[in-house]
C-alpha cells in the first residue's frame, strides 16, 4: 500500500528580518557538539549573514554523490547517510553554496539535516525555535511561501502608509 | 512559529527529577538555560529584577529589531507548559545592594545566599546593567544619559510600566560606534530628534558595521567620525552641547584596530539637548565587590566585574554556575544563548555526578 506523499517542508531565512545575532548558530553548535551547520558570517560590509544548507529541490550534491549517501528524507531535507559516505566531498565541489564539510572523526560529509532527531519527535529545527527575530521561516512548503509573501505585503503596506504624510 | 521556543528539545514537561535549579537573570542566557533544563526534568525558578523576563531583548533592544512578543510568548510557554516559575521585580543580591541601571521597578530584594541555600544548583546570568560613561566635565548635567538607560526608559514607557515618558529631544548627540549607539540614535530620531552619532574612529572600525551606519544615515541620522568628546557643555545644569576633539587614526592598539589620536588644536561643539553615551556596559553580578561577601559565597570576580568561571561555566562555588554577558562582558544574543545552553548542560552533568556521590538535599 503506497502511503500518501508527505508534505514537503521548507526552511527560508528572511534576511530582511535577520539581525545577525547568532542565536541560530548558538543552538546548532550546542546540538552538534561544537560544530554548527548554520553559521553567521560577518561580511566586509559589517552585515552578518547566516548560511546553511538550502535543501535544494534539485540538489547537485545528491546528484553527484557516487554512493547515494547524500540523500533526501520524506520531508524533503537533504542529509547524509553516514554509513554510505566515503568522504570524497564530491558534494562540496557540486554545491554552489559551499555547504558540506568533512566530519573530522568519521571522515564523512556532514551538513544540516534540519534537525532530523528533533523533527522525528514532532519538534522544529533548533535554529527556527530560537531565532529571536522570527527570521527563519519553517513549515510545509505552501505555508512558508504564504508567510513570506504576507511579510512582503505588510512591508509594502507600511511603505505606502508612511508615504501618506 | 510566532514565539521563541526556549524548550526546543521537548514537547511537554518530562517526569520531574525533583531537583531545583534557580536561574538569576532572565535574558537570552538565562532563558536558554531554563528551556534546556526543563526539558531535562529539572524544576526551574527564575528571578529577574524587571517586571517581565526577556532581559535586553525586551528592555533595551528596540522592537523593530526583536519583536518583544516573540520573547514574551516564549516565556509564557515556559510558564504554562513547563511549569517554570518567574519571580519578577525581584533583585537578587549578596552584600550591600548596589544601585544599577534598570532598578527602578524592583519591588523585592532576595539575598543571593538564600537562593544558593534553597536550590540544588544556581545559574547567574545577570548581564551587563551598568553603563560606562567617561568622567568628563559636565557629564552629571541634566540631559546626559547612557544608551542603556535611555532605551530602557523608552521600553518601560512603551510597555506601560511607568507614566513618566522618556526624555524628549530636539537635537540628540549619541557617542559610540556599537549597536547601542545605532539603536539609541534611531530611537531618538524616530521620536522626532535630529540625531547625530559621533564615533572616535571611522565607520570602518565601528563595531556596528558599515551597513548599520549607512542604514541609519538613510533614516536621517548623521554620522560624524573621528571625534572624541572632551566636555559636555551645560547651562544652569542642563546639557546644551558637547565639545569634541578631532581625532585621526594612528598605529594599531592592543585590539588591533588603529588607535584614534588627537589632532592638536582641532575641536568643535555640537549643540544637543540630549547627550547619550553608548560607550559600553560592564558586568553586573548579583553580589557586592566586598572581599568578605565574595569569600563567604565562594565566588570571585575579575577586574572588569565579570564572574570568574571554569571551562564548565562553574564558579569557585561548585553549585553556582554563570553564563551570558555577566561572564563575557557585552556580547550579543547568540553568544549569550550559546553559553546559557552549555551551562544548562553542565549544571545537569554536575547534579548527576552529585547524585552518584550522595542523595542531594536542598539546605
Ligand atoms: C541597546 C542595546 C542593543 C543591542 N542590540 C543587539 C542586537 O541588535 N543584536 C544582538 O545580538 N545583541 C544586541 N545587544 C546585546 C544583547 O542584548 C546582549 O548581548 C544579551 O541580551 C545578553 O544576554 P544575557 O542573558 O547575558 O543578559 P541580559 O539580556 O542583560 O539579561 C540579564 C537579566 O538579568 C536581570 N538582572 C540583572 N541583575 C539582576 C539581579 N541582581 N537580580 C535579578 N535579576 C537581575 C536583568 O533584569 C536582565 O533581565 C544589544 C544590547 C544593548 C544594550
Amino acid at each position: 500500500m503506497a502511503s500518501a506523499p508527505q508534505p514537503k517542508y521548507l526552511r527560508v531565512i528572511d534576511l530582511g528580518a535577520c539581525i545577525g545575532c547568532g542565536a541560530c548558530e548558538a543552538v546548532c553548535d550546542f546540538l552538534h557538539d561544537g560544530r554548527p551547520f548554520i553559521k553567521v558570517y560577518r561580511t566586509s560590509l559589517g552585515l552578518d549573514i547566516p548560511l546553511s544548507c538550502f535543501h535544494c529541490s534539485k540538489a547537485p550534491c545528491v546528484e553527484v554523490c557516487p554512493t547515494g549517501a547524500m540523500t533526501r528524507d520524506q520531508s524533503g531535507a537533504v542529509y547524509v547517510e553516514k554509513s554510505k559516505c566515503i568522504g570524497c566531498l564530491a558534494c562540496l565541489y557540486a554545491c554552489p553554496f559551499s555547504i558540506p564539510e568533512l566530519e573530522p572523526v568519521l571522515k564523512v560529509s556532514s551538513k544540516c539535516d534540519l534537525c532530523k532527531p528533533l523533527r522525528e519527535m514532532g519538534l522544529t529545527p533548533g535554529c527556527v525555535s530560537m531565532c529571536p527575530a522570527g527570521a527563519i521561516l519553517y513549515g510545509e512548503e505552501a505555508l512558508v511561501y504564504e508567510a513570506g509573501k504576507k511579510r512582503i505585503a505588510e512591508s509594502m503596506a507600511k511603505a505606502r502608509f508612511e508615504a501618506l504624510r | 512559529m510566532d514565539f521563541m521556543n526556549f524548550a526546543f528539545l521537548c514537547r511537554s514537561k518530562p517526569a520531574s527529577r525533583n531537583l531545583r535549579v534557580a536561574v538569576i537573570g532572565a535574558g537570552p542566557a538565562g532563558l536558554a538555560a531554563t528551556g534546556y533544563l526543563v526539558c531535562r526534568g529539572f524544576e526551574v525558578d527564575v528571578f529577574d529584577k524587571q517586571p517581565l523576563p526577556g532581559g535586553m531583548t525586551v528592555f533595551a533592544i528596540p522592537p523593530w529589531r526583536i519583536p518583544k512578543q516573540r520573547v514574551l510568548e516564549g516565556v509564557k510557554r515556559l510558564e504554562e507548559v513547563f511549569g517554570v516559575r518567574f519571580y519578577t521585580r525581584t533583585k537578587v543580591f549578596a552584600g550591600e545592594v548596589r544601585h544599577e541601571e534598570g532598578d527602578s521597578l524592583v519591588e523585592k530584594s532576595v539575598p543571593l545566599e538564600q537562593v544558593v541555600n534553597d536550590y540544588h544548583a544556581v545559574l547567574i546570568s545577570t548581564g551587563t546593567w551598568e553603563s560606562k560613561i567617561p568622567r568628563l566635565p559636565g557629564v552629571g548635567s541634566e540631559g546626559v544619559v547612557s544608551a542603556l538607560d535611555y532605551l530602557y526608559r523608552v521600553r518601560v514607557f512603551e510597555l506601560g510600566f511607568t507614566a513618566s515618558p522618556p526624555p524628549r529631544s530636539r537635537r540628540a548627540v549619541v557617542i559610540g560606534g556599537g549597536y547601542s549607539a545605532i539603536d539609541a540614535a534611531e530611537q531618538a530620531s524616530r521620536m522626532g530628534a535630529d540625531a547625530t552619532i559621533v564615533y572616535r574612529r571611522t565607520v570602518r572600525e565601528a563595531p556596528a558595521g558599515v551597513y548599520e551606519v549607512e542604514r541609519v544615515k538613510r533614516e536621517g541620522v548623521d554620522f560624524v567620525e573621528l571625534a572624541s568628546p572632551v566636555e559636555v557643555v551645560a547651562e544652569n545644569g542642563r546639557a546644551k552641547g558637547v565639545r569634541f576633539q578631532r581625532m585621526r587614526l594612528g598605529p594599531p592598539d592592543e585590539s588591533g584596530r588603529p588607535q584614534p589620536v588627537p589632532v592638536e588644536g582641532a575641536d568643535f561643539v555640537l549643540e544637543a539637548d540630549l547627550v547619550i553615551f553608548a560607550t559600553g556596559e560592564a558586568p553586573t553580578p548579583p553580589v557586592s565587590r566586598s572581599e568578605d561577601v565574595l569569600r563567604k559565597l565562594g565566588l570571585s570576580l575579575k577586574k572588569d566585574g565579570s564572574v570568574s568561571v571554569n571551562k564548565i561555566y562553574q564558579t569557585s562555588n561548585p553549585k553556582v554556575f554563570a553564563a551570558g554577558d555577566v561572564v563575557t562582558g557585552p556580547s550579543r544574543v547568540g553568544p549569550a544563548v550559546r553559553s546559557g545552553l552549555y551551562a544548562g548542560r553542565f549544571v545537569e552533568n554536575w547534579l548527576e555526578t552529585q547524585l552518584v556521590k550522595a542523595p542531594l538535599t536542598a539546605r
Side-chain angles (χ1 to χ4, degrees), chain A residues 19-22, chain B residues 24-31 47-50 52-57 59-62 65-66 90-93 100 102-103 125-129 147-148 151 179-181 183-184 281 284-287 323-326 328-337 339:
Chain A
I19 59 165
C21 74
Chain B
I24 306 171
L31 291 173
F47 297 83
D48 201 292
K49 66 181 186 177
Q50 300 307 337
L52 291 171
M56 299 281 184
T57 63
F59 288 96
I61 301 177
R65 255 190 225 289
I66 295 180
T90 305
K91 180 158 172 160
V92 177
F93 212 81
E100 289 148 350
D103 272 354
S125 47
T126 44
T128 54
W129 283 74
L148 176 55
L151 291 165
Y179 288 97
S180 344
D183 287 352
E281 295 90 29
T284 44
V287 54
D325 285 4
V326 75
T328 57
S331 69
R332 294 178 81 178
V333 174
V337 164
S339 74

Side-chain angles (χ1 to χ4, degrees), chain A residues 17 19-27 29-35 42 44-48 118 121-126 128-135 138 158, chain B residues 1 3-11 28 31-32 36 57 61 64-67 70-71 179 190 206-212 332-335 337-338 341-342 345:
Chain A
I19 59 165
C21 74
C24 50
E25 176 173 337
V27 193
D29 177 298
F30 179 69
L31 287 167
H32 301 100
D33 299 314
R35 300 192 65 242
R42 166 129 291 207
S44 52
L45 284 174
L47 193 58
D48 301 294
L118 292 184
M121 291 164 65
L123 294 157
T124 45
V128 178
S129 292
M130 285 294 281
C131 175
Y138 174 80
K158 206 170 135 233
Chain B
M1 214 164 18
F3 56 88
M4 271 182 93
N5 187 9
F6 298 105
F8 60 90
L9 287 172
C10 62
R11 283 166 59 111
L31 291 173
Y36 176 79
T57 63
I61 301 177
W64 55 85
R65 255 190 225 289
I66 295 180
R70 268 187 75 74
V71 183
Y179 288 97
R190 287 185 185 215
V210 177
Y211 181 91
E212 277 296 308
R332 294 178 81 178
V333 174
V337 164
R338 185 178 183 279
L341 289 173
Y342 278 96
R345 187 191 278 161

Side-chain angles (χ1 to χ4, degrees), chain B residues 3 31 51 60 87 93 96 103 130 180 189 200 222-223 228 260 289 291 311 317 361:
Chain B
F3 56 88
L31 291 173
Y87 296 96
F93 212 81
E96 201 181 317
D103 272 354
E130 194 167 68
S180 344
S189 164
R200 61 201 179 121
D222 276 337
F223 186 80
S228 185
R289 292 189 186 190
E291 279 302 326
K311 281 200 185 100
N317 179 338
T361 43

Side-chain angles (χ1 to χ4, degrees), chain B residues 68-113:
Chain B
K68 290 196 231 337
Q69 222 39 47
R70 268 187 75 74
V71 183
L72 295 175
E73 279 298 314
V75 164
K76 208 164 112 199
R77 256 180 68 87
L78 283 179
E79 254 180 319
E80 288 172 2
V81 182
F82 297 95
V84 175
R85 268 183 299 180
F86 286 95
Y87 296 96
T88 52
R89 294 186 192 254
T90 305
K91 180 158 172 160
V92 177
F93 212 81
E96 201 181 317
V97 179
R98 261 175 33 152
H99 187 83
E100 289 148 350
E101 276 167 89
D103 272 354
S104 55
L105 300 171
V106 172
E107 281 172 355
K108 263 183 305 234
S109 169
V110 172
L112 176 60
E113 295 86 343

Side-chain angles (χ1 to χ4, degrees), chain B residues 36 38 41 53 74 79 103 119 147 170 189 191 195 230-231 246 248 268 272 276 280 282 300 304 319 326 346 348:
Chain B
Y36 176 79
V38 294
E79 254 180 319
D103 272 354
Y119 292 84
R170 200 174 48 75
S189 164
M191 284 167 45
V230 285
E231 168 196 13
R246 272 264 167 239
R248 60 179 175 77
F268 62 97
I276 304 175
S300 60
D304 64 354
K319 72 191 282 194
V326 75
F346 291 131
E348 175 185 29

Side-chain angles (χ1 to χ4, degrees), chain B residues 141-144 168 232-241 273-274:
Chain B
S141 314
E142 213 184 308
V144 179
R168 286 265 158 197
V232 173
V233 186
E235 204 174 77
N236 304 324
R238 268 212 65 89
K240 56 172 235 185
D273 54 9
L274 184 63

